[in-house]
Amino acid sequence: LLYSRIMLVGYVVAIFLGLVFGSFAGAQVWRLRARQLIEDKAAGEEYDKRELKGLRHLVGAKLSSDRSRCLRCQHELAWYDLIPLFSWISTKGRCRYCNKAIGSFEPLMELGGALLFTLLFQYLASNYGMPMAGFVMVPWMVVAVLMLILLAYDAKWFLLPDRIMFPLIAVSAAIALWQVSGYSDPWVAVVSTVGAVAILGGLYLLLWIISRGAWIGFGDVKLGVALGLLLGDAKLALLALFLANLIGLLFALPQLISRRASGKTQIPFGPMLILGFFIALFWGDGIIHGYLNLTNGIIA
């Protein structure tokens, strides 16, 4: 009974923190975009002037001092405008000051954060038990926030920013080192982790080299390295790779059939990799076990 109550509190805390950090991740996406636009302008590259105008208040702003504003009317938002999910619901998805539609991006990021934090807590609690799960949850929360940012940014602008990618690789390496140290035979874990990195990062590096960047971006290579470090298992890495390509196919096929896209249409692959990674992380062992049982039954 006590354990059940502890788990219930853990779920509530995970949902609350997921909403808060999902909101934070959404805000960072716009801050990153503002910095990218001003850098493109300074470098003499093409950029969207209207987009930069809407994000001008974020250009050069420090995270510790800048205030959130409506992207349409630039009105500074009050604290009651920043309550995750509930503020959006209370205004029916519109700005309280200009009454223009805010869009679904912010609540989707917040709901995504809540879902991801809840699944992470469940996964860690089942693997490490309590209270160790609470301790392990901290670095994984950082991973979740960084991946939410990357997923949203790549989906919107076909880019995986190094400002987020390098911290993700660093945190992933720290988690991988901690996971390896927990094995009775660390060398077996090291070999498995290297195999996972080779599958998710090395394969994309090979494709990037062969195509000279035409088939895949180098950001996907770096993302594959981070995901391989986190999975630490070659079998799960193969599953994540398969799932990412399957999700990509399911996403692209309807567009190709309806001719809304062609073979030359650019598709962001980062979100597919991230989704494939989390499916493999949470349910990969069960999927692989079920597949092996099914194939053994068919062969028998």
Side-chain angles (χ1 to χ4, degrees):
L1 181 61
L2 178 60
Y3 182 78
S4 299
R5 290 179 177 177
I6 293 174
M7 288 296 293
L8 178 60
V9 171
Y11 281 122
V12 172
V13 172
I15 293 171
F16 172 76
L17 291 177
L19 288 170
V20 172
F21 282 102
S23 178
F24 172 81
Q28 301 321 303
V29 169
W30 295 117
R31 291 184 174 100
L32 281 169
R33 184 56 178 170
R35 292 174 182 174
Q36 182 66 50
L37 289 170
I38 200 66
E39 288 175 1
D40 290 346
K41 180 181 179 181
E45 299 179 7
E46 291 186 6
Y47 68 97
D48 190 325
K49 294 182 179 179
R50 289 185 61 186
E51 187 180 8
L52 179 56
K53 183 179 179 181
L55 299 174
R56 64 181 182 274
H57 65 284
L58 296 176
V59 176
K62 295 181 179 179
L63 296 183
S64 59
S65 60
D66 66 319
R67 300 296 301 273
S68 296
R69 299 173 183 269
C70 172
L71 297 179
R72 300 293 187 90
C73 65
Q74 305 300 314
H75 194 287
E76 187 174 299
L77 303 181
W79 66 268
Y80 46 80
D81 298 314
L82 302 174
I83 302 174
L85 193 59
F86 296 102
S87 294
W88 187 86
I89 294 174
S90 68
T91 60
K92 299 180 180 179
R94 293 184 173 275
C95 173
R96 196 184 305 275
Y97 308 99
C98 66
N99 202 39
K100 292 181 179 179
I102 296 173
S104 58
F105 174 74
E106 282 74 16
L108 284 176
M109 291 291 286
E110 292 160 2
L111 288 172
L115 175 61
L116 189 51
F117 275 41
T118 302
L119 291 173
L120 274 174
F121 174 73
Q122 184 179 44
Y123 166 77
L124 295 173
S126 63
N127 281 274
Y128 297 100
M130 296 295 292
M132 180 57 72
F135 171 76
V136 181
M137 185 75 176
V138 175
W140 276 99
M141 284 168 56
V142 177
V143 167
V145 171
L146 294 176
M147 285 199 189
L148 274 174
I149 296 172
L150 289 173
L151 188 152
Y153 202 97
D154 196 29
K156 280 180 169 291
W157 298 294
F158 305 94
L159 182 66
L160 295 166
D162 285 342
R163 283 192 179 95
I164 304 299
M165 189 61 65
F166 288 140
L168 176 62
I169 292 175
V171 177
S172 300
I175 291 176
L177 184 61
W178 183 81
Q179 291 179 154
V180 165
S181 66
Y183 279 78
S184 56
D185 189 347
W187 287 111
V188 173
V190 168
V191 170
S192 184
T193 300
V194 171
V197 172
I199 291 169
L200 281 171
L203 178 60
Y204 286 127
L205 176 60
L206 181 63
L207 292 174
W208 183 80
I209 292 173
I210 293 174
S211 68
R212 297 180 181 180
W215 297 345
I216 195 167
F218 198 69
D220 295 317
V221 177
K222 290 177 280 190
L223 179 59
V225 170
L227 302 184
L229 286 169
L230 290 168
L231 287 173
D233 187 311
K235 298 189 297 297
L236 292 180
L238 277 172
L239 176 61
L241 182 65
F242 168 78
L243 290 171
N245 284 278
L246 177 62
I247 294 169
L249 177 63
L250 294 175
F251 174 79
L253 195 58
Q255 298 186 60
L256 292 172
I257 294 174
S258 63
R259 296 185 179 181
R260 288 180 296 173
S262 66
K264 296 182 179 180
T265 302
Q266 188 177 9
I267 296 176
F269 198 63
M272 321 299 180
L273 271 174
I274 292 172
L275 290 174
F277 161 78
F278 278 117
I279 295 173
L281 179 70
F282 296 141
W283 304 290
D285 289 332
I287 293 172
I288 293 173
H289 183 71
Y291 172 76
L292 291 177
N293 285 341
L294 179 62
T295 52
N296 289 336
I298 293 174
I299 294 174

